[in-house]
Amino acid sequence: MPTRPGTPRLLRQLNDRAALELLLSSGPLTRAELGEYTGLSKVTAGQLLSRLQDRGLVAVVGEQAGGRGPNAALYGVVPSCAYVAGLDVLPGRISAGVADITGTLVAEVAADPSGHDDPVRLVRSALGQACEAAGIGVDRLRAFVIGTRGVVDPGTGDVRFSFDLPSWHNGVLAELRRDLGVPVTIENDVNLAALAERSYGAALGVDDFVLVWAGVGQGLGVMLGGRLHRGFTGGAGEIGWLPVPGEPLPTDVSEPQSGSFQRLVGGDAVAGLASAHGIGFAPGADPDADSVGEHVRTAVAQGAEAFLDELAGRLAIGVAAVAVVLDPGLIVLSGDVGRAGGDALADRVQDAVARFCPSRPRVMVSRVRGNPVLRGALVSALHQAREQVFSDTV
C-alpha cells in the first residue's frame, strides 16, 4: 500500500503540538517525562525537543536531580516566543494588556478615550502604550482581541451595533487590520468575560454554564459544549430585552435601556431600589466611579437583607428564564452588581430561582481576578496564537 504523502510531517506536527501543550499545562519536564506522558520513545522525544529548541520555542530551564548519573535537563516553553494583546473598550475607559505565550500578563495599562472619536486611532494609541510597557513592538504580536459592548456580527466580525460606542461600525475591523498589521478580532465583552470565567474563575473547566452580567447594562455569556454560543446574528445573550411580568415592553428597540429586564435590574432600577431602602454610599467611596456597584457593595457591608432579597428576586427572573431554556447547571454572576454582591447576592439568587425553576442551577459569583473582559480577551488571543505557533513547528 502506498504511503500517503506528508504523513511523517503531519505526525511530527502533532507530536510537537502535544509536547508544547503539555509543557504549558504541566510546567518544565525532562526528556524522559515528556516521553512517558506523550507515549513517545526517548529517541523521538529527544528529536522533538531538538526541533523545538532550534525554532526558539523550547529551552533548558533547569535541572532535575535523579539517582546515579548526571542531572536531567528540564525543558520549558520560551515565554517570549510569542506575544498577544487584549483590549477592553468602554465609553469612559480603555484597558489594554499584553501576555506572553504562557499566558503570563506582561503589562497592563489604562487609557483615556476622551477626544478620540476615531476607533482606529483610539486602539492604535492604547495598543502602543501597552506594547511599550511590555517592552515589545506591535509587530511581535501574534493575535489581538478587542472586547466591546454591542453585538458583533459572527459572519463579518464587525460590530453590528453598539449603543455605547456609536463610532464602532461596519468596516472598523478591516481598518484596524490594515492599520496595525496584526491579526485583530472584535468580540462581545460579556462573551470574553465568560471565556475568562472558564479559564480562571468559578466555571473552571465547565463545558456548560451561563454568565449573567449585571450592572448598568445587562448581558449574558452562553457556553455550551465548551464553546461560546453567539446566535445567528451575534445577538445571543442580549438579556436586557427579556420580557418580564410587570414591566412594559419596549416600543422602540433602538432606544437604549428600554428592555423590560433592563428596566427591572439596570442601573436606574438598582439606584431607585437602594434609595427606597435608605442605602447610600460607603465612607470613602467615589460615587462617580461605579455608583451601581457601590450601592450593592454598601448594602452587603451594612447587612441590608431586605434590599439584597429584593434585588436577588429581580435577578432571579432572568436567571430562571435562562435556566428553563438552556438548563446549564451553573450560573455565574458577574458585572458591577454581580461582583459587588458577592456570595451574599449569589446565594439569594440561587434560593429565589429554586422556588420557581425546576432545574435549580447552582449560582456562583465570579472568581476572576482583575478585569474579566481583558482577561477573556487575552484568553481568546492566546488560543489563536497557539494555533499559529503550535501548528507550524516543522
Side-chain angles (χ1 to χ4, degrees), residues 189 243 357 378:
D189 55 353
C357 178
L378 292 172

Side-chain angles (χ1 to χ4, degrees), residues 336-380:
D336 296 337
V337 168
R339 290 161 70 91
D343 292 331
L345 181 61
D347 291 345
R348 283 173 165 83
V349 172
Q350 178 171 296
D351 292 341
V353 170
R355 288 196 290 270
F356 52 85
C357 178
S359 60
R360 298 191 176 190
R362 288 183 300 144
V363 179
M364 300 178 65
V365 69
S366 169
R367 296 286 189 257
V368 174
R369 294 183 179 181
N371 183 330
V373 176
L374 180 58
R375 295 291 299 275
L378 292 172
V379 168
S380 178

Side-chain angles (χ1 to χ4, degrees), residues 40 58 84 119 152 168 181 219 256-257 331 384:
L40 300 174
V58 166
V84 301
V152 178
W168 289 70
Q257 311 292 315
I331 307 285
Q384 296 177 38

Side-chain angles (χ1 to χ4, degrees), residues 9 24 31 43 59 122 153 165 173 199 209 222 248 257 281 290 321 323 338 341 355:
R9 178 185 177 89
L24 283 174
R31 183 184 66 172
V43 173
L122 180 68
D153 190 318
L165 300 167
L173 180 60
S199 297
F209 74 95
V222 180
Q257 311 292 315
F281 292 107
D290 174 15
R355 288 196 290 270

